[in-house]
Amino acid sequence: MCSLRSLDREGIFRLWRGTAASLALAVPTVGIYLPSYDLLRNWIEEYSDHSYPKLRPYAPLIAGSIARSLACITCSPIELARTRMQAFKQSSGGAKPPGMWKTMLGVLSSRQSISHPENLQTTRGYHLLWTGMGAQLARDVPFSAICWMVLEPTRRHLLGLLAGEQSNAAVIMGANFSAGFIAGVISSGATCPLDVAKTRRQIEKDPARVLSMNTRRILLEVWRE
């Protein structure tokens, strides 16, 4: 009932809360992730062809893991803001949901309640913007590694099966879609518990608890409960 009342007050657009943060996250993430993946994969494949052929099958795994790590570390504050915006609960006073920048400032201001408000002006305060980054890396890096390790060979296999047919755009698109679907299902299923841990840590509002939480502890709490 509380969610329905909140929906009545905010309107149908509540279902799109955090869209601005999602767009702000998608542009730099994709801009870092995909070019880095292509560059790293090409470099590893060239290196393996000349020096270490056994490394070539693992090029997607290594390139995907490193590229995703770079993107996660760079964009973690925006990911934190988006998660908190989407998890925002309407208060009884009907306060307007905070935007992306206000959400980030709220994360920083929470540092004041840990008994050292002066730390807000130091790098020790700003590190709270990367709250949950360890859990995010624990989710995104395996996701990316599994996804590319499944996608690349599956796509090559499907394109090889369809090589006898007319290789038009529809055939190539179908092979890419099928490979992406299979890779996405496998990687998402394998890393979903880590996504739960990341989300729980990023929406935690108690500053003291935030500093003491880690992925392993969160997963154990979920398991016990």
Side-chain angles (χ1 to χ4, degrees):
M1 289 298 295
C2 181
S3 297
L4 289 176
R5 288 195 297 268
S6 178
L7 185 60
D8 290 338
R9 284 193 296 267
E10 296 181 48
I12 193 66
F13 292 106
R14 181 174 188 265
L15 298 175
W16 279 266
R17 182 188 294 159
T19 299
S22 295
L23 293 174
L25 175 67
V27 173
T29 299
V30 174
I32 295 170
Y33 179 43
L34 293 181
S36 298
Y37 171 76
D38 284 335
L39 289 172
L40 288 167
R41 186 197 60 193
N42 292 337
W43 182 83
I44 294 171
E45 288 178 347
E46 290 177 5
Y47 172 80
S48 63
D49 290 341
H50 291 90
S51 304
Y52 197 67
K54 293 182 179 180
L55 183 63
R56 187 179 177 86
Y58 302 100
L61 184 150
I62 299 171
S65 299
I66 297 174
R68 194 65 187 179
S69 297
L70 293 174
C72 284
I73 293 170
T74 304
C75 303
S76 185
I78 306 176
E79 167 72 16
L80 172 62
R82 183 190 67 165
T83 302
R84 290 205 172 191
M85 288 170 67
Q86 292 176 336
F88 176 83
K89 293 183 179 179
Q90 189 77 19
S91 64
S92 57
K96 182 180 179 181
M100 183 177 70
W101 295 113
K102 190 173 181 180
T103 301
M104 286 186 179
L105 291 175
V107 173
L108 288 176
S109 63
S110 67
R111 186 71 175 90
Q112 292 178 312
S113 61
I114 310 181
S115 76
H116 295 289
E118 66 276 6
N119 288 345
L120 183 60
Q121 304 300 324
T122 68
T123 54
R124 286 187 295 171
Y126 285 104
H127 85 280
L128 286 177
L129 288 174
W130 279 264
T131 296
M133 188 185 69
Q136 186 179 352
L137 288 171
R139 178 204 65 175
D140 284 8
V141 173
F143 177 93
S144 184
I146 296 170
C147 183
W148 288 113
M149 277 295 290
V150 174
L151 188 146
E152 295 284 6
T154 303
R155 178 167 55 189
R156 285 195 297 267
H157 179 70
L158 292 175
L159 290 174
L161 291 176
L162 300 172
E165 303 180 12
Q166 184 178 2
S167 296
N168 52 35
V171 171
I172 296 174
M173 184 179 296
N176 287 332
F177 175 83
S178 300
F181 178 81
I182 295 170
V185 169
I186 294 174
S187 53
S188 295
T191 59
C192 186
L194 300 171
D195 187 41
V196 172
K198 177 199 77 75
T199 302
R200 286 204 172 201
R201 185 171 186 192
Q202 289 184 328
I203 65 175
E204 177 60 52
K205 295 299 181 70
D206 182 357
R209 180 169 163 78
V210 166
L211 296 177
S212 65
M213 294 173 75
N214 58 54
T215 301
R216 178 176 174 274
R217 183 175 298 176
I218 295 171
L219 291 177
L220 287 175
E221 287 180 359
V222 174
W223 178 262
R224 285 196 299 266
E225 294 172 2

